[in-house]
Amino acid sequence: MWNRFIEVATFWSCKFLARLFPPQPKPLPRQARLILVFSTTGLGDGLFDSAAICSLKLGHPEAKLIVCAHRKRQSVALHNPCVDEVVPFGKSPVRQLRLLWRFRRERPDLVVVLHVNEEVYPLAYWINRDAVVTFTNLSERYSFLAAHPVKVRDTQRAVILPLKVAQYAGGSAVPPRMVYEVKADELAALRVRFASWIDHPYVVFQTGGGRTLFWRDWPVEHYVTLIRWFSDRFAHKIILTGGVENVERAGAMERACPEVINLAGKTTLTETAALLHLAKMLLTTDTGIMHLGFAIGCPVVCLFHDLYPATDYCPLDKSARYVALQLTRSHPQQPPSARDMEGISCDEVKHAIDGMLECSR
């Protein structure tokens, strides 16, 4: 109840302030001095924004480009070579006041709002209301705070939407490719930590996604069947990955198949990225790790629920190596459930893995 009150009060306060001090859509700088990019939501969204960030840097090569990213997911921006500085974003008023205090003084002449939480819009408005550029496809609720709201009408592809905003703000044309560069010292640290097996061929099985969209997860029983088939057919080691929310699922798979190496809840995002860099293949449902695999260039077999079309989220880069399996329900309008993904059979996944590893030989 309290959170809802704060949300409503914030919205109408912003409405009132925007009437008193409306943002003016002044011409954007041809060569910006300081660019502040907000990209504060999930891992996948941060990767979708990575191409747009490169576009901005190439279009404004002399500018200092700062990315404000969620404090728990800064890794994506830190591994983008076009980013000059990363500052953490947090929802607490104290953190936001610190950001406001800093950037009101530094006064960026371009404020680009990409995939963000709603509380970012008032913050961007107060930093420099006449220089805010954002896209309104995902939400038009706070579009009145942006001097330059951009409606992208010709696509719903997750990488293209922020890229169109960047190009509106003076960014250069770049390939619509997610960016994440694994560093040499990270690979060296991984080799030390997992010295007993890291130089042997291995594949990564991502055991699930977040709790909110649990119905996108493939059943544990299907994973167990697949692991047993894979172990009989291939010499590769199987590495299980996942966050703390996947520890229970991964534990069930490990108990049924003791030959796996269970790293769920035991690696950082940076370490998982390094694992994918060296892996022969990633099997995953529609998760942030799937997008990380795409960005790194790991061969991916990905399983999609029918509420998330693979065509909107898979790479546009024709050199990308992936197989996307799309669930097809007979009644797609029904609310999603935890059993939906049973509709993608083990045989379909086996066939996709066979083809992927055959191509990698």
Side-chain angles (χ1 to χ4, degrees):
M1 180 65 75
W2 175 250
N3 288 341
R4 177 61 180 163
F5 171 76
I6 294 295
E7 182 183 325
V8 172
T10 300
F11 178 79
W12 286 107
S13 298
C14 289
K15 275 279 191 183
F16 176 72
L17 288 168
R19 284 184 175 274
L20 289 180
F21 309 104
Q24 302 294 326
K26 297 177 181 177
L28 296 172
R30 290 181 177 275
Q31 282 298 322
R33 171 188 55 85
L34 175 61
I35 302 173
L36 177 61
V37 177
F38 283 97
S39 176
T40 63
T41 48
L43 170 59
D45 290 340
L47 289 162
F48 297 151
D49 294 340
S50 61
I53 289 167
C54 291
S55 169
L56 287 166
K57 184 63 174 179
L58 293 174
H60 301 270
E62 301 303 318
K64 179 178 182 180
L65 194 151
I66 301 175
V67 174
C68 185
H70 191 282
R71 58 193 177 85
K72 293 182 179 179
R73 289 180 284 275
Q74 298 177 72
S75 178
V76 174
L78 289 168
H79 289 80
N80 188 326
C82 293
V83 175
D84 297 307
E85 183 184 351
V86 179
V87 295
F89 175 82
K91 294 187 177 184
S92 76
V94 172
R95 287 182 179 274
Q96 294 195 31
L97 283 171
R98 285 176 181 164
L99 287 172
L100 182 60
W101 174 252
R102 173 182 171 178
F103 289 111
R104 282 290 292 181
R105 287 180 295 132
E106 295 186 12
R107 200 67 171 177
D109 42 4
L110 197 52
V111 181
V112 181
V113 179
L114 300 176
H115 285 94
V116 297
N117 314 87
E118 280 196 336
E119 55 267 24
V120 167
Y121 292 101
L123 180 60
Y125 168 88
W126 281 115
I127 288 172
N128 188 349
R129 64 179 180 271
D130 296 336
V132 176
V133 185
T134 188
F135 65 98
T136 60
N137 290 59
L138 300 182
S139 174
E140 297 190 4
R141 182 172 158 81
Y142 278 97
S143 60
F144 61 87
L145 292 179
H148 300 270
V150 179
K151 182 76 170 179
V152 182
R153 301 186 183 279
D154 56 348
T155 184
Q156 288 300 314
R157 282 191 171 271
V159 178
I160 297 293
L161 292 173
L163 196 52
K164 293 279 189 181
V165 175
Q167 290 169 352
Y168 176 93
S172 295
V174 298
R177 184 185 303 134
M178 293 179 285
V179 178
Y180 188 105
E181 292 191 359
V182 177
K183 299 174 183 177
D185 60 324
E186 295 163 354
L187 293 172
L190 197 75
R191 292 185 187 280
V192 171
R193 181 179 176 187
F194 302 120
S196 62
W197 55 263
I198 195 67
D199 289 322
H200 296 279
Y202 66 87
V203 297
V204 174
F205 285 12
Q206 173 71 11
T207 55
R211 292 190 180 95
T212 305
L213 301 176
F214 64 92
W215 39 268
R216 298 193 301 188
D217 290 344
W218 207 41
V220 169
E221 317 86 78
H222 283 28
Y223 272 102
V224 170
T225 299
L226 190 75
I227 290 168
R228 288 171 176 165
W229 165 83
F230 188 95
S231 297
D232 288 341
R233 188 174 180 83
F234 297 99
H236 302 60
K237 294 184 179 297
I238 299 174
I239 315 300
L240 304 183
T241 57
V244 292
E245 62 272 23
N246 306 129
V247 167
E248 186 177 340
R249 286 170 54 85
M253 296 175 205
E254 183 182 20
R255 287 190 294 274
C257 306
E259 69 272 21
V260 301
I261 298 172
N262 182 6
L263 297 183
K266 300 174 185 176
T267 56
T268 64
L269 181 60
T270 299
E271 289 173 325
T272 302
L275 278 171
L276 293 178
H277 183 81
L278 299 173
K280 298 299 182 183
M281 187 204 73
L282 166 66
L283 170 68
T284 177
T285 50
D286 181 8
T287 64
I289 297 302
M290 175 189 75
H291 300 296
L292 187 61
F294 289 152
I296 289 169
C298 178
V300 179
V301 173
C302 42
L303 317 182
F304 282 87
H305 195 279
D306 59 6
L307 294 182
Y308 285 78
T311 52
D312 287 347
Y313 296 98
C314 286
L316 289 165
D317 183 359
K318 292 183 178 178
S319 67
R321 293 175 293 164
Y322 71 91
V323 177
L325 301 177
Q326 182 82 62
L327 173 69
T328 304
R329 290 183 294 168
S330 57
H331 301 287
Q333 299 307 315
Q334 292 178 352
S337 78
R339 309 306 300 184
D340 286 349
M341 292 292 282
E342 290 178 353
I344 298 179
S345 71
C346 289
D347 286 342
E348 289 178 88
V349 180
K350 290 174 185 177
H351 180 73
I353 290 175
D354 256 338
M356 184 64 74
L357 292 180
E358 183 65 34
C359 291
S360 300
R361 286 176 182 170

